[in-house]
Amino acid sequence: GGLVCCADADFMAQIVRRSNFGFFGSREAMVVGTNAKLSEYHAAVGLAALDHWPATRAQFAAVQSHLHAALSGIAGVVCPGGGGRSWVSSSFCIQVDSPLAPLMRGLQEQGIETRRWWGDGVHRHPAFAGCPRQDLANTDFLAKRVLGLPCSRDQSPGDSDRVGAALRRIMG
Protein backbone atom coordinates (compact mmCIF):
# COMPACT_ATOMS: atom_id res chain seq x y z
CA GLY A 1 0.00 0.00 0.00
CA GLY A 2 0.96 3.61 -0.16
CA LEU A 3 -0.19 7.11 0.65
CA VAL A 4 0.58 10.45 -0.93
CA CYS A 5 -0.12 13.68 0.93
CA CYS A 6 0.60 16.78 -1.08
CA ALA A 7 -0.56 20.39 -1.26
CA ASP A 8 0.48 20.77 -4.92
CA ALA A 9 -2.70 20.16 -6.97
CA ASP A 10 -0.81 19.75 -10.26
CA PHE A 11 1.52 17.14 -8.76
CA MET A 12 -1.45 15.26 -7.28
CA ALA A 13 -3.18 15.29 -10.67
CA GLN A 14 -0.06 13.66 -12.17
CA ILE A 15 -0.06 11.01 -9.43
CA VAL A 16 -3.75 10.26 -10.00
CA ARG A 17 -3.19 10.05 -13.76
CA ARG A 18 -0.17 7.76 -13.41
CA SER A 19 -1.95 5.53 -10.88
CA ASN A 20 -4.74 4.88 -13.41
CA PHE A 21 -2.75 3.51 -16.38
CA GLY A 22 -1.94 7.06 -17.55
CA PHE A 23 -5.64 7.66 -18.28
CA PHE A 24 -7.22 10.98 -17.37
CA GLY A 25 -10.74 11.63 -18.60
CA SER A 26 -10.50 9.02 -21.37
CA ARG A 27 -9.28 5.48 -21.99
CA GLU A 28 -6.20 6.78 -23.81
CA ALA A 29 -2.87 6.74 -21.95
CA MET A 30 -1.42 10.23 -22.15
CA VAL A 31 1.52 9.39 -19.86
CA VAL A 32 3.13 6.14 -18.77
CA GLY A 33 1.27 4.81 -15.75
CA THR A 34 0.36 1.73 -13.78
CA ASN A 35 -2.60 0.22 -11.98
CA ALA A 36 -1.98 1.59 -8.48
CA LYS A 37 -5.51 2.05 -7.22
CA LEU A 38 -5.98 -0.96 -4.94
CA SER A 39 -6.43 0.10 -1.33
CA GLU A 40 -6.01 -2.20 1.65
CA TYR A 41 -9.78 -2.22 2.06
CA HIS A 42 -10.34 -3.29 -1.53
CA ALA A 43 -7.64 -5.95 -1.20
CA ALA A 44 -9.45 -7.33 1.87
CA VAL A 45 -12.76 -7.36 -0.03
CA GLY A 46 -11.04 -9.20 -2.89
CA LEU A 47 -9.63 -11.81 -0.54
CA ALA A 48 -13.03 -12.30 1.11
CA ALA A 49 -14.61 -12.68 -2.34
CA LEU A 50 -12.35 -15.66 -3.00
CA ASP A 51 -14.36 -17.59 -0.41
CA HIS A 52 -17.34 -17.29 -2.78
CA TRP A 53 -15.41 -17.92 -6.00
CA PRO A 54 -17.02 -21.28 -6.88
CA ALA A 55 -20.52 -19.71 -6.84
CA THR A 56 -19.30 -16.56 -8.62
CA ARG A 57 -17.59 -18.65 -11.29
CA ALA A 58 -20.75 -20.69 -11.81
CA GLN A 59 -22.79 -17.50 -12.26
CA PHE A 60 -20.35 -16.12 -14.86
CA ALA A 61 -20.24 -19.51 -16.61
CA ALA A 62 -24.03 -19.60 -16.90
CA VAL A 63 -24.21 -16.04 -18.25
CA GLN A 64 -21.42 -16.63 -20.76
CA SER A 65 -22.87 -19.93 -21.92
CA HIS A 66 -26.20 -18.19 -22.49
CA LEU A 67 -24.50 -15.35 -24.37
CA HIS A 68 -22.81 -17.95 -26.61
CA ALA A 69 -26.22 -19.49 -27.34
CA ALA A 70 -27.89 -16.12 -27.92
CA LEU A 71 -25.18 -15.12 -30.42
CA SER A 72 -24.86 -18.45 -32.19
CA GLY A 73 -25.57 -18.41 -35.88
CA ILE A 74 -25.13 -14.66 -36.34
CA ALA A 75 -23.05 -14.31 -39.50
CA GLY A 76 -19.92 -12.28 -38.90
CA VAL A 77 -19.80 -12.82 -35.12
CA VAL A 78 -17.13 -14.94 -33.46
CA CYS A 79 -17.50 -15.71 -29.75
CA PRO A 80 -14.52 -16.56 -27.55
CA GLY A 81 -13.74 -20.27 -27.73
CA GLY A 82 -14.46 -22.13 -24.51
CA GLY A 83 -15.80 -19.07 -22.70
CA GLY A 84 -18.34 -20.07 -20.08
CA ARG A 85 -17.23 -23.69 -20.31
CA SER A 86 -13.50 -24.25 -19.90
CA TRP A 87 -12.85 -20.73 -18.55
CA VAL A 88 -14.79 -17.68 -17.38
CA SER A 89 -14.19 -13.96 -17.29
CA SER A 90 -15.94 -10.89 -15.96
CA SER A 91 -16.11 -9.63 -19.55
CA PHE A 92 -17.45 -10.98 -22.83
CA CYS A 93 -15.83 -9.83 -26.05
CA ILE A 94 -16.78 -10.86 -29.55
CA GLN A 95 -15.01 -10.43 -32.86
CA VAL A 96 -17.08 -9.04 -35.70
CA ASP A 97 -16.43 -8.61 -39.40
CA SER A 98 -18.37 -5.33 -39.57
CA PRO A 99 -17.22 -1.82 -38.66
CA LEU A 100 -17.66 -1.30 -34.92
CA ALA A 101 -19.08 2.24 -34.92
CA PRO A 102 -22.45 1.39 -36.56
CA LEU A 103 -22.83 -1.72 -34.39
CA MET A 104 -22.12 0.23 -31.24
CA ARG A 105 -24.49 3.02 -32.27
CA GLY A 106 -27.26 0.54 -33.13
CA LEU A 107 -26.87 -1.31 -29.82
CA GLN A 108 -26.75 1.99 -27.88
CA GLU A 109 -30.00 3.06 -29.55
CA GLN A 110 -31.54 -0.12 -28.11
CA GLY A 111 -30.17 0.64 -24.63
CA ILE A 112 -27.28 -1.84 -24.84
CA GLU A 113 -23.91 -0.48 -23.76
CA THR A 114 -20.74 -1.76 -25.42
CA ARG A 115 -16.99 -1.06 -25.39
CA ARG A 116 -14.32 -0.96 -28.05
CA TRP A 117 -12.23 -3.23 -25.92
CA TRP A 118 -8.73 -2.05 -26.85
CA GLY A 119 -9.49 1.24 -28.56
CA ASP A 120 -7.01 1.60 -31.39
CA GLY A 121 -4.29 -0.29 -29.47
CA VAL A 122 -1.96 1.00 -26.78
CA HIS A 123 0.75 1.70 -29.38
CA ARG A 124 -1.43 4.56 -30.63
CA HIS A 125 -1.72 6.22 -27.21
CA PRO A 126 0.46 9.33 -26.93
CA ALA A 127 2.38 7.86 -23.97
CA PHE A 128 3.53 4.87 -26.05
CA ALA A 129 3.48 6.16 -29.64
CA GLY A 130 7.26 6.64 -29.69
CA CYS A 131 8.13 3.25 -28.19
CA PRO A 132 9.98 0.76 -30.38
CA ARG A 133 7.80 -2.09 -31.60
CA GLN A 134 7.53 -4.85 -34.12
CA ASP A 135 4.76 -5.20 -36.68
CA LEU A 136 1.38 -4.92 -34.94
CA ALA A 137 -0.87 -5.94 -37.83
CA ASN A 138 -2.79 -8.39 -35.59
CA THR A 139 -3.30 -5.71 -32.96
CA ASP A 140 -4.56 -3.28 -35.61
CA PHE A 141 -6.86 -5.99 -37.03
CA LEU A 142 -8.37 -6.91 -33.65
CA ALA A 143 -8.68 -3.32 -32.43
CA LYS A 144 -11.09 -2.68 -35.29
CA ARG A 145 -13.11 -5.86 -34.70
CA VAL A 146 -13.35 -6.69 -30.97
CA LEU A 147 -16.42 -5.49 -29.12
CA GLY A 148 -17.13 -5.85 -25.41
CA LEU A 149 -20.75 -6.80 -24.68
CA PRO A 150 -22.68 -6.59 -21.40
CA CYS A 151 -21.67 -9.37 -19.01
CA SER A 152 -22.43 -9.44 -15.32
CA ARG A 153 -22.90 -12.40 -13.07
CA ASP A 154 -26.49 -11.43 -12.34
CA GLN A 155 -27.36 -10.92 -16.02
CA SER A 156 -30.59 -12.75 -16.82
CA PRO A 157 -31.01 -15.10 -19.78
CA GLY A 158 -33.55 -12.57 -21.08
CA ASP A 159 -30.91 -9.82 -21.01
CA SER A 160 -28.52 -12.02 -22.99
CA ASP A 161 -31.28 -12.92 -25.46
CA ARG A 162 -32.00 -9.21 -25.92
CA VAL A 163 -28.34 -8.55 -26.75
CA GLY A 164 -28.34 -11.42 -29.24
CA ALA A 165 -31.60 -10.33 -30.87
CA ALA A 166 -30.42 -6.73 -31.18
CA LEU A 167 -27.10 -7.78 -32.72
CA ARG A 168 -28.90 -10.12 -35.09
CA ARG A 169 -31.20 -7.27 -36.27
CA ILE A 170 -28.32 -4.81 -36.72
CA MET A 171 -26.10 -7.23 -38.59
CA GLY A 172 -28.97 -8.28 -40.84
Side-chain angles (χ1 to χ4, degrees):
L3 171 71
V4 177
C5 296
C6 179
D8 183 336
D10 292 334
F11 184 66
M12 281 306 297
Q14 282 296 316
I15 290 172
V16 168
R17 180 179 289 175
R18 290 180 187 277
S19 69
N20 189 30
F21 305 104
F23 299 163
F24 197 72
S26 74
R27 287 183 46 93
E28 184 177 61
M30 301 305 288
V31 296
V32 176
T34 186
N35 183 3
K37 303 176 302 294
L38 188 64
S39 70
E40 287 81 0
Y41 170 77
H42 293 99
V45 169
L47 286 172
L50 288 175
D51 293 340
H52 305 282
W53 175 242
T56 299
R57 186 188 192 291
Q59 289 170 320
F60 274 121
V63 168
Q64 291 170 357
S65 291
H66 201 93
L67 277 166
H68 270 274
L71 300 173
S72 69
I74 301 177
V77 172
V78 177
C79 291
R85 295 177 301 280
S86 60
W87 59 273
V88 298
S89 174
S90 60
S91 59
F92 192 88
C93 293
I94 59 171
Q95 181 180 321
V96 297
D97 65 4
S98 304
L100 291 179
L103 290 177
M104 293 176 72
R105 200 170 28 257
L107 289 167
Q108 182 65 42
E109 288 169 1
Q110 296 181 54
I112 299 169
E113 196 169 333
T114 61
R115 295 278 184 278
R116 278 191 63 217
W117 206 250
W118 295 295
D120 289 324
V122 72
H123 63 293
R124 300 209 188 279
H125 292 210
F128 303 102
C131 294
R133 59 182 169 267
Q134 308 241 339
D135 176 51
L136 296 174
N138 286 334
T139 299
D140 291 333
F141 176 87
L142 290 171
K144 294 176 184 171
R145 291 168 177 81
V146 174
L147 184 64
L149 296 178
C151 178
S152 64
R153 65 186 197 175
D154 60 349
Q155 186 167 308
S156 74
D159 291 336
S160 297
D161 289 341
R162 191 168 77 83
V163 171
L167 200 55
R168 197 175 305 281
R169 278 191 301 274
I170 294 166
M171 294 192 71

